[in-house]
Amino acid sequence: MPICTNCSHPTPYLYTVYDSEDNLRLEQCSSCHAFADPYVEHDALTLGIDLMLLKRDVFRHLLFNRGAGARRLSNKSSGEATSSENPQSHELQREKGRRLQILRLGFFLVAVDASDYFSHSMDPSHPGTVEIAQWNQDALESYFRVLTGCLIETVGFHVGVTLASFIVLHALDWLRSHGDAQAPSGLRTQFRCSHIPLTILYSSLNKFFLLFLLTIWRPNSQSSSADSLQSQYNATNLLSHPMLRGALEMLDDDKLDREWIIRNVLGGMATGFGLRVVLDCHPVFTTMIILTGWAVKTALAHLVSGWVGASISIQAGSEGAEEIWLAYSIP
């Protein structure tokens, strides 16, 4: 059953479709009396922008209401609602659709992640002493190993987060059953296992978008932030203070790894927000869940670092290829 994106109260219908073309009416929630899901009228561009902005309602729409909640009214049926599908079979079909979406979106994001890793592992100053055909063969082998390593990391992170989420949810249910008997929320009653990996994938779109922008506009590491600002504002003595200059020097490209921050800090915060929406629990528990997923992912990254780094060493001509692979790990 779909839910209200405003208060998460279960509602049988989100909108009503009439006989005339493009004629529908949004349903009101019986609890908060707001529109149950305004996103049914929005296009994919609006959904994508709101997803980048981490809006709560768009997560609820994509996870719980996508492809559901339609009621059809026909003039021939004297205003009575018609339904051509069994609710149980329709829910099973939606579950299959979510799993298919996980596979498609997951493989796409893993390929994007592997391409980003592979582009950073190549040394552009390395002389091309190898023949073109052999270089292409080595490059494909290196990319395949990086792709496999990213796939193992991603699967490990999803498995760790999913197991930790189920442990937290069962613990909260046990505490709720032995404490005040409060009715579970609509999010909890409509929760399915496929919601967790799909939430992680939706949350990671924000991270990959920022990484894409960072790939296009590379930071300039020739001059420090403090020196550049000092040259622009020579008339003031404010930037000559040692504490302020030290704070600005921390933003230099040789000291601040922007990609590490985007991957781990911002990516972890976005994933935590998405899990907070779908699990409906305290942020402390979602933080513990994210840390568990990070621990599993980091352990697997160290496990495959030697195998992945061997091909990068041959292709990039660098000795510390394992350090390149582990450069964006959590520790």
Side-chain angles (χ1 to χ4, degrees):
M1 180 181 294
I3 63 173
C4 173
T5 58
N6 184 45
C7 66
S8 73
H9 183 74
T11 178
Y13 302 106
L14 299 176
Y15 60 97
T16 302
V17 181
Y18 297 93
D19 283 341
S20 57
E21 185 178 0
D22 297 332
N23 187 6
L24 60 88
R25 178 175 60 87
L26 296 178
E27 296 290 338
Q28 283 186 325
C29 175
S30 60
S31 178
C32 64
H33 303 289
F35 286 128
D37 190 353
Y39 281 100
V40 297
E41 292 185 317
H42 294 175
D43 55 1
L45 179 60
T46 304
L47 294 177
I49 294 175
D50 288 350
L51 196 61
M52 295 293 179
L53 297 176
L54 299 178
K55 290 190 175 182
R56 179 200 61 184
D57 293 355
V58 72
F59 275 91
R60 292 178 175 177
H61 166 76
L62 293 174
L63 294 172
F64 296 95
N65 299 343
R66 192 71 166 175
R71 177 176 60 174
R72 299 185 180 276
L73 286 180
S74 175
N75 294 330
K76 299 179 181 180
S77 59
S78 302
E80 295 182 357
T82 60
S83 178
S84 59
E85 293 186 1
N86 186 7
Q88 186 175 2
S89 62
H90 182 62
E91 180 63 27
L92 182 60
Q93 184 178 1
R94 290 183 60 203
E95 179 66 21
K96 292 181 179 179
R98 282 194 295 264
R99 295 180 180 180
L100 182 61
Q101 181 71 7
I102 291 172
L103 294 177
R104 290 186 298 184
L105 186 59
F107 279 114
F108 172 74
L109 293 181
V110 167
V112 172
D113 194 17
S115 301
D116 184 72
Y117 264 113
F118 186 72
S119 63
H120 284 81
S121 64
M122 296 296 101
D123 186 7
S125 62
H126 180 62
T129 57
V130 187
E131 296 181 359
I132 298 298
Q134 185 178 356
W135 186 90
N136 288 336
Q137 183 179 0
D138 293 338
L140 289 176
E141 182 181 357
S142 300
Y143 179 76
F144 174 76
R145 293 198 179 192
V146 172
L147 179 64
T148 305
C150 290
L151 180 62
I152 293 175
E153 279 191 356
T154 303
V155 172
F157 181 73
H158 281 245
V159 171
V161 169
T162 303
L163 293 179
S165 299
F166 274 99
I167 293 175
V168 169
L169 290 179
H170 283 293
L172 293 178
D173 291 341
W174 183 83
L175 292 176
R176 188 182 295 111
S177 62
H178 288 75
D180 296 334
Q182 298 180 356
S185 63
L187 294 174
R188 188 68 183 92
T189 56
Q190 302 301 321
F191 173 77
R192 300 294 183 271
C193 178
S194 58
H195 287 148
I196 296 179
L198 195 57
T199 301
I200 299 175
L201 295 176
Y202 282 146
S203 302
S204 62
L205 293 177
N206 186 298
K207 173 186 68 176
F208 285 111
F209 177 73
L210 294 178
L211 289 175
F212 173 72
L213 296 181
L214 193 62
T215 304
I216 297 177
W217 292 286
R218 289 291 182 184
N220 186 11
S221 59
Q222 295 180 357
S223 60
S224 64
S225 302
D227 294 337
S228 60
L229 289 176
Q230 183 71 29
S231 61
Q232 295 178 11
Y233 301 99
N234 291 325
T236 179
N237 295 326
L238 179 62
L239 297 179
S240 61
H241 195 278
M243 294 184 60
L244 184 57
R245 287 185 60 86
L248 292 176
E249 288 177 356
M250 293 177 61
L251 301 178
D252 291 344
D253 298 330
D254 56 346
K255 297 180 180 179
L256 181 66
D257 194 343
R258 290 175 172 83
E259 185 165 355
W260 189 93
I261 293 178
I262 292 176
R263 282 183 175 275
N264 299 316
V265 180
L266 296 182
M269 292 173 61
T271 305
F273 175 81
L275 292 177
R276 174 70 176 86
V277 173
V278 70
L279 297 180
D280 193 23
C281 60
H282 197 273
V284 174
F285 296 110
T286 57
T287 303
M288 296 171 58
I289 292 172
I290 294 297
L291 292 177
T292 303
W294 276 347
V296 176
K297 177 182 177 181
T298 304
L300 292 177
H302 282 81
L303 185 63
V304 301
S305 60
W307 180 71
V308 177
S311 61
I312 298 178
S313 300
I314 299 175
Q315 179 64 22
S318 58
E319 297 295 335
E322 295 185 13
E323 298 180 358
I324 297 176
W325 171 252
L326 297 175
Y328 303 111
S329 298
I330 299 302

